[in-house]
Amino acid sequence: MVLATSFFASLLLLATAKPMAPRTMVAHESRAASAEGFVQSAAAPAEQELTLRIALKQNNIVGLQTELYKVSDPASEFYGKHLTLEEVAKFVKPTNDTLAAVSSWLSDNNINAKPVTPAGDMLEIKIPVSQANDLLSAQFSVFTHSKTGKTIIRTLQYSLPAPLTQHVEFFHPTTSFALPLNSRPKFAAGRAKRATPGSDDLPDSCTSTMTPACLQLLYNIPTAPATQKSNTLGVAGFLDQWANEEDLTAFLASFRKDINSSTTFALKTLDGGSNPQNRSQAGIEAYTIGLATGVPVTFISAGDDNPDGASGFLQVSNLCNAYMQLGALGTSLLFASGDGGVSGGQSQSCGDFVTPFPAGCPFITSVGSTGGINQFFGISEVGSDFSSGGFSNYFSAPDYQTEAVAAYLKFFDSLGTIPPDGRFNRSGRGFPDVSAQGENFEIVLDGQFGTVEGTSCSSPTFASIIALLNDELVAAGKPTLGFLNPFLYSSAGRAALNDIVFGTNPGCGTSGLPATTGWDPITGLGTPNYTALRTAVGL
Ligand SMILES: *[C@@H]1O[C@H](CO)[C@@H](O)[C@H](O)[C@H]1NC(C)=O
Ligand SMILES: *[C@@H]1O[C@H](CO)[C@@H](O)[C@H](O)[C@H]1NC(C)=O
Ligand SMILES: *[C@@H]1O[C@H](CO)[C@@H](O)[C@H](O)[C@H]1NC(C)=O
Ligand SMILES: *[C@@H]1O[C@H](CO)[C@@H](O)[C@H](O)[C@H]1NC(C)=O
Ligand SMILES: *[C@@H]1O[C@H](CO)[C@@H](O)[C@H](O)[C@H]1NC(C)=O
């Protein structure tokens, strides 16, 4: 925060130095029409205030990427030597020229800007629609999402003074209509076939429903509590997903009889996010507290109450670069790969199926879902038919996975069921990276026992395993795992995962993308084996 304030000060200082003359406007971003599913309803009210974020050109993002891979690749001598916030800021902060150009333009227009990132590479301004239209030669309008009735304010085009185009990445929200992930687990009320929730008839009961005990047994997850308070696990709740304390207590009392059922989470809110206890919609966060035994869990609630639609979700998913920065700092980021039927997002994987944005970002770990009969009986798990996977049209395959993806494409070509051209992008970043069980998870929702399924069951499961490994690493005086993918795709990482070879990706029509030996775009590299992962990370 102190850093952010000092950048703001220097911004104002520079602003007075060099006023600029009026100049030609150049279109900076545009699109032919609104995204599918949105209808343009009216001009935005002239006096309505817009909160706009300005992403400034970062001075050396390529340099930061090099650093990220150095500290995340087990083969590198710098492995685990994560960067400090100040070191990351050096790469992402804008140059003085950029700051001078943008701040004098804003001050010429009597606009106050506030840096909203520690490095000052993202500014926030609040201006009425009429001024935004003038400033950016834009036409901000109201767009209605037909399915949900939600309205957002966007413009199909905006422009910048010519000399500024080299200093500004983008304004947000303007032309982006990215829709949130449709990865909320589907709740089915009414309990599974077992007589008592959490009963100990393992492993037989695990063929019908999943519980923490089943996952512990299946993936060799330890039950002993973590010891290191510095190692935390964050769970992000978006779009009406809340963590309910009473449900959590009921869940733990049924499914983790061996731990204190009053164990709870810390809460952090972003952008007007809240955690109303009268409307619980998530429930699945119980699987972090219920699996990552003793690891401090923070529930991050992102708000969605801005009239201009600059919701916490969009902010968090906006910037793959931001994930790169978190990785360099030593944070592991895991996202659900998304559930079938997703619409929106930024890039197509195949046919009319669309890659949910975070999954395509190469600096996060994307988690797909498995289910079916499982390893207790010597039978492999099966990729879930709702679990998204594919290839990004926006991000190319990063080095750590080129070999794995090439091997898959070779296998796929050998099947002779090549889908029509353009069904998927052979050079794109493949996802998911890994997978974990995601079907028939027993949860408590609004006091009711029931089951849920979805990749958002898989992601907390995998994240809990990483959190427990980090706990052991910290206790052993070793660095935490940070950005996981270079390790996961290494031979040591791959050997510590259960390769899943059954299941077919639902997103690619009738032919489908089947799972196979090695990486595949439905189960990734496979599901976790804690015992083997422990050894692979050097414990
Ligand atoms: C950028 O500005 C800061 C503060 O005014 C100054 O200390 C620094 O030397 C400048 N950097 C360059 C490369 O000019
Ligand atoms: C369980 O946790 C709660 C909240 O931290 C605490 O007040 C209570 O004493 C604990 N109970 C036991 C048996 O440790
Ligand atoms: C939950 O509580 C809030 C604030 O007390 C209230 O505004 C909201 O309508 C309530 N929601 C439900 C579903 O009861
Ligand atoms: C395929 O993905 C690459 C990035 O890897 C992208 O540059 C290219 O535009 C994509 N092709 C299509 C047809 O979208
Ligand atoms: C998990 O790893 C351990 C240790 O490497 C190994 O003995 C065990 O067979 C593995 N489990 C599975 C299901 O592969």
Side-chain angles (χ1 to χ4, degrees):
M1 261 356 261
V2 172
L3 205 58
T5 311
S6 75
F7 268 103
F8 186 38
S10 68
L11 201 69
L12 289 178
L13 209 67
L14 289 160
T16 55
K18 206 170 118 219
M20 291 191 183
R23 43 178 98 80
T24 340
M25 299 297 281
V26 178
H28 200 58
E29 284 191 285
S30 65
R31 58 185 304 144
S34 63
E36 215 183 304
F38 286 91
V39 178
Q40 185 166 358
S41 25
E47 67 288 353
Q48 183 167 333
E49 186 176 77
L50 290 179
T51 300
L52 295 172
R53 297 265 163 120
I54 312 172
L56 303 180
K57 202 70 101 191
Q58 297 163 322
N59 83 78
N60 187 7
I61 200 69
V62 176
L64 182 63
Q65 186 172 325
T66 306
E67 291 299 311
L68 172 68
Y69 283 121
K70 275 208 264 182
V71 301
S72 312
D73 181 354
S76 156
E77 60 174 305
F78 299 99
Y79 183 59
K81 298 194 164 64
H82 300 123
L83 276 61
T84 62
L85 202 55
E86 289 73 20
E87 287 167 334
V88 169
K90 270 190 203 130
F91 289 98
V92 301
K93 73 177 183 195
T95 63
N96 287 353
D97 279 357
T98 292
L99 286 175
V102 174
S103 57
S104 72
W105 175 55
L106 292 176
S107 72
D108 285 352
N109 287 281
N110 294 316
I111 296 169
N112 277 324
K114 172 179 88 167
V116 288
T117 53
D121 56 324
M122 179 84 76
L123 306 177
E124 185 178 282
I125 62 172
K126 287 180 193 288
I127 52 175
V129 164
S130 53
Q131 192 179 7
N133 283 340
D134 284 350
L135 185 75
L136 301 171
S137 304
Q139 273 188 299
F140 280 93
S141 306
V142 178
F143 293 87
T144 306
H145 186 233
S146 313
K147 228 183 199 165
T148 59
K150 279 209 163 158
T151 60
I152 59 174
I153 293 179
R154 293 291 187 275
T155 177
L156 297 179
Q157 177 175 326
Y158 69 95
S159 302
L160 295 174
L164 279 176
T165 55
Q166 57 169 318
H167 298 299
V168 172
E169 288 286 355
F170 58 82
F171 271 65
H172 177 82
T174 50
T175 59
S176 121
F177 287 77
L179 268 186
L181 275 177
N182 174 22
S183 62
R184 181 188 300 177
K186 297 161 204 70
F187 182 70
R191 255 202 14 265
K193 291 125 204 149
R194 65 181 58 188
T196 328
S199 66
D200 298 327
D201 50 348
L202 301 171
D204 292 318
S205 70
C206 307
T207 58
S208 57
T209 58
M210 273 292 141
T211 61
C214 289
L215 294 164
Q216 285 163 340
L217 197 61
L218 179 61
Y219 296 141
N220 301 320
I221 306 171
T223 57
T227 56
Q228 306 299 308
K229 294 299 160 211
S230 68
N231 170 50
T232 63
L233 174 55
V235 182
F238 299 113
L239 303 165
D240 308 338
Q241 295 188 350
W242 293 293
N244 183 289
E245 291 179 28
E246 272 176 39
D247 285 349
L248 177 63
T249 304
F251 177 87
L252 294 175
S254 279
F255 297 111
R256 283 304 304 270
K257 296 195 171 80
D258 57 325
I259 63 174
N260 186 341
S261 63
S262 304
T263 309
T264 186
F265 49 85
L267 181 69
K268 207 177 239 176
T269 59
L270 300 175
D271 274 9
S274 63
N275 194 36
Q277 291 300 305
N278 58 347
R279 289 167 73 195
S280 91
Q281 301 244 329
I284 204 66
E285 73 290 339
Y287 275 83
T288 52
I289 295 160
L291 281 177
T293 313
V295 174
V297 171
T298 302
F299 187 76
I300 304 155
S301 165
D304 184 28
D305 59 359
N306 293 310
D308 54 8
S311 73
F313 185 91
L314 292 178
Q315 216 186 93
V316 175
S317 69
N318 202 15
L319 277 167
C320 188
N321 275 355
Y323 298 140
M324 190 201 296
Q325 296 174 41
L326 286 167
L329 294 167
T331 306
S332 307
L333 291 163
L334 296 98
F335 282 87
S337 75
D339 300 344
V342 173
S343 65
Q346 294 201 349
S347 44
Q348 288 204 312
S349 56
C350 55
D352 56 359
F353 196 73
V354 174
T355 312
F357 167 68
C361 172
F363 310 116
I364 60 112
T365 301
S366 167
V367 187
S369 171
T370 60
I373 306 169
N374 52 52
Q375 255 122 358
F376 304 121
F377 306 100
I379 302 167
S380 176
E381 299 170 66
V382 179
S384 304
D385 61 8
F386 56 75
S387 182
S388 307
F391 303 89
S392 173
N393 261 345
Y394 189 79
F395 298 103
S396 57
D399 285 352
Y400 61 74
Q401 69 163 198
T402 45
E403 216 175 285
V405 169
Y408 182 80
L409 292 174
K410 194 170 164 208
F411 154 80
F412 187 76
D413 290 346
S414 77
L415 296 178
T417 56
I418 301 162
D421 274 358
R423 291 297 292 275
F424 63 84
N425 189 331
R426 300 175 70 95
S427 69
R429 184 255 203 266
F431 71 98
D433 299 299
V434 289
S435 51
Q437 288 280 317
E439 297 181 13
N440 298 318
F441 272 46
E442 291 204 37
I443 65 160
V444 181
L445 194 63
D446 287 334
Q448 242 189 320
F449 284 87
T451 58
V452 287
E453 65 175 26
T455 50
S456 50
C457 298
S458 315
S459 167
T461 299
F462 208 100
S464 297
I465 286 169
I466 299 303
L468 288 170
L469 288 169
N470 278 341
D471 178 75
E472 289 204 58
L473 286 166
V474 173
K478 297 179 180 219
T480 55
L481 293 171
F483 173 44
L484 300 170
N485 295 2
F487 159 69
L488 293 171
Y489 284 84
S490 72
S491 50
R494 296 175 69 142
L497 299 165
N498 310 309
D499 190 4
I500 308 304
V501 298
F502 299 111
T504 299
N505 182 304
C508 296
T510 46
S511 55
L513 292 171
T516 187
T517 310
W519 180 86
D520 58 67
I522 172 166
T523 65
L525 297 165
T527 62
N529 177 348
Y530 192 91
T531 324
L533 281 166
R534 216 179 154 273
T535 312
V537 301
L539 285 163

